[in-house]
Amino acid sequence: MDSYWNPFQELEVLRRGIDDVFASVWPTGAGRTSAFLPGRSARSYPLLNIAARDDRFVIDAFAPGLDKDSLEVTVDRNVVRISGEKRDLTDVAPERFHRRERAAGRFTRTVQLDGEIDEKRVEATYADGILHLDLPKSAAALPRKISVAVK
């Protein structure tokens, strides 16, 4: 029986080749796991809930297992950047894993909000694996009530 061309098999070979290129640049054993590479995880890390209120934004970042000393939050006008490091809690060699869904390593997540933040009044707390950010809007971003003179 003659073999036939299988486009899905060709795509799989291409995907593996691309994975090999990324693995040669960022080996999984060097503190960078495949879940932190672009396109390898369903979502960015950490997962965020962002709420807009009249006078502030509230962000809850779901990030258990962070090294609290590496956690950093910066705010520049309307851009919030969260970075840190997620510890590897196992002593198993990377080549011994059958499946590894919990990634470890450095991360950065940047979010652009719809209004400017008052950087001096930002509050951040990290407890029970949740980073909570309270981001008051700047006076320039708040709606102003304009009185109308009637003549």
Side-chain angles (χ1 to χ4, degrees):
M1 179 178 217
D2 292 336
S3 64
Y4 60 15
W5 179 67
N6 183 343
F8 296 107
Q9 185 177 11
E10 295 294 323
L11 286 172
E12 179 63 19
V13 169
L14 177 63
R15 184 193 64 78
R16 286 183 187 167
I18 292 170
D19 286 348
D20 290 344
V21 169
F22 277 108
S24 69
V25 176
W26 295 296
T28 57
R32 182 139 189 161
T33 59
S34 62
F36 278 66
L37 294 176
R40 293 293 297 218
S41 59
R43 299 182 181 141
S44 297
Y45 186 85
L47 301 177
L48 304 177
N49 283 349
I50 303 173
R53 300 200 175 129
D54 291 338
D55 63 340
R56 67 189 61 251
F57 294 98
V58 175
I59 297 178
D60 285 323
F62 301 97
L66 294 186
D67 178 2
K68 65 180 181 188
D69 295 328
S70 74
L71 191 56
E72 184 177 302
V73 176
T74 58
V75 177
D76 184 18
R77 286 181 243 155
N78 68 333
V79 176
V80 178
R81 183 176 156 267
I82 302 168
S83 62
E85 186 166 359
K86 192 171 180 185
R87 296 174 296 211
D88 190 358
L89 301 176
T90 182
D91 59 354
V92 177
E95 64 273 6
R96 294 283 187 193
F97 275 96
H98 173 71
R99 172 173 282 176
R100 188 170 190 168
E101 295 181 355
R102 185 191 182 281
R106 295 215 39 87
F107 67 88
T108 300
R109 179 88 191 259
T110 304
V111 178
Q112 186 171 355
L113 301 172
D114 292 337
E116 278 195 39
I117 305 301
D118 183 352
E119 293 101 349
K120 293 179 179 133
R121 298 187 316 149
V122 170
E123 293 181 13
T125 57
Y126 181 68
D128 298 325
I130 298 174
L131 172 64
H132 179 80
L133 302 176
D134 185 30
L135 305 154
K137 294 179 182 177
S138 69
L142 293 174
R144 290 183 296 156
K145 184 177 180 181
I146 309 294
S147 60
V148 179
V150 179
K151 296 183 180 186

